[in-house]
Amino acid sequence: MSRSQLSTFNSQLRPTPLSASFYEPSAEFVAPKLLGHFLLRRAPDGAWAGGAIVESEAYLANDPACHGFRRETARNRSMYGPPGRAYVYFIYGNYFCFNAVCAGKGVAEAVLVRAIEPTFGEEWMRKNRPVTKERELTSGPSKLCLALHIEREFDGADICSLKSDLIIAGNPDVKRFVRARGPVVTATRVGLSVAEHMPLRFYLDGSEFVSRRQRTFSR
DNA sequence: TAAGTGATGCAT
DNA sequence: TGCATCACTTAA
């Protein structure tokens, strides 16, 4: 499907949110399974904007890099809630990041969505985040939050309900998409100073929108 | 490569 | 209280 065809398709898009049970397993298993599915935000005109997830990271209950590793606080509360909710946090005084909460209530696990391919509503995204290169639109966890206008108000939102303005919807062609953009690369997570060797980052190597390639060497 | 931004968490 | 750190982005 071409870009203009997708744009037309968008006006009739009837997304089917992934169910809460999808997020019930550990984030370690959910993160790679999210690749290819659609992160969607309802724009003010009612149309859905967003696109296919191409990069994700898992944060686990027994993982020192996880915000919920120590104890429940006001900031990380939604991570402790039921699966299928959003955990949105503010970082570096400027930006937001979006996570899908996983595992049962009381277990602080989540998947950080690090990059998507802009598939629907690109015009609205570009209005939110003016860039010259399309690749810059959503190739990073806070870039995609800017493009989709995901802010603190979405922390705790139900991403499994069409009543929400922020959902993750099943891609009916997910297998084909993953094959086309594959292979899936498993790598270490970005920007950590603890637990940096855990292989909990997943991305589609064939996508232009992956935030950064795996570092082959570092000194 | 480094500055900027403000919330968080741990040490005082 | 203070201060280092932080799941990042931008401009250079």
Side-chain angles (χ1 to χ4, degrees):
Chain A
M1 213 184 281
S2 74
R3 290 233 171 245
S4 59
Q5 282 173 317
L6 279 169
S7 175
T8 306
F9 175 68
N10 180 37
S11 61
Q12 319 157 23
L13 182 62
R14 298 281 181 273
T16 306
L18 296 176
S19 68
S21 61
F22 183 94
Y23 304 96
E24 184 83 42
S26 170
E28 179 173 7
F29 301 111
V30 177
K33 282 181 63 184
L34 276 175
L35 298 176
H37 290 301
F38 296 134
L39 176 63
L40 298 176
R41 165 82 156 92
R42 205 192 313 263
D45 67 358
W48 291 99
I53 296 168
V54 295
E55 180 180 351
S56 62
E57 283 179 357
Y59 287 85
L60 310 180
N62 65 348
D63 159 17
C66 179
H67 289 169
F69 178 63
R70 290 164 199 284
R71 65 186 183 283
E72 182 175 338
T73 65
R75 180 212 207 188
N76 63 29
R77 185 145 300 144
S78 36
M79 279 188 104
Y80 284 81
R85 305 293 179 88
Y87 167 48
V88 177
Y89 66 89
F90 186 60
I91 185 85
Y92 296 114
N94 277 302
Y95 302 106
F96 292 94
C97 292
F98 164 80
N99 297 249
V101 174
C102 295
K105 198 162 163 24
V107 182
E109 301 208 354
V111 174
L112 171 69
V113 175
R114 288 194 53 91
I116 67 172
E117 291 202 5
T119 316
F120 309 111
E122 181 166 341
E123 192 179 332
W124 182 65
M125 289 193 271
R126 280 181 176 274
K127 212 163 71 177
N128 295 330
R129 176 172 163 77
V131 290
T132 50
K133 294 183 217 158
E134 188 191 33
R135 205 201 86 83
E136 286 303 309
L137 193 54
T138 52
S139 55
S142 295
K143 294 178 184 177
L144 69 88
C145 283
L146 289 167
L148 292 176
H149 202 74
I150 298 172
E151 301 192 347
R152 196 174 269 121
E153 59 178 304
F154 285 103
D155 186 40
D158 184 350
I159 58 171
C160 304
S161 166
L162 282 174
K163 289 183 216 157
S164 295
D165 290 341
L166 181 65
I167 63 172
I168 295 178
N171 179 352
D173 278 326
V174 66
K175 285 182 95 170
R176 186 176 314 172
F177 184 88
V178 169
R179 248 198 326 271
R181 296 293 195 282
V184 175
V185 173
T186 302
T188 55
R189 296 172 293 182
V190 175
L192 302 186
S193 59
V194 293
E196 63 265 56
H197 300 304
M198 296 173 81
L200 293 174
R201 176 176 179 231
F202 307 92
Y203 62 85
L204 293 172
D205 201 35
S207 173
E208 292 301 302
F209 293 87
V210 170
S211 65
R212 58 181 77 178
R213 303 287 136 181
Q214 184 171 30
R215 234 192 323 236
T216 48
F217 291 98
S218 70
R219 280 183 309 113

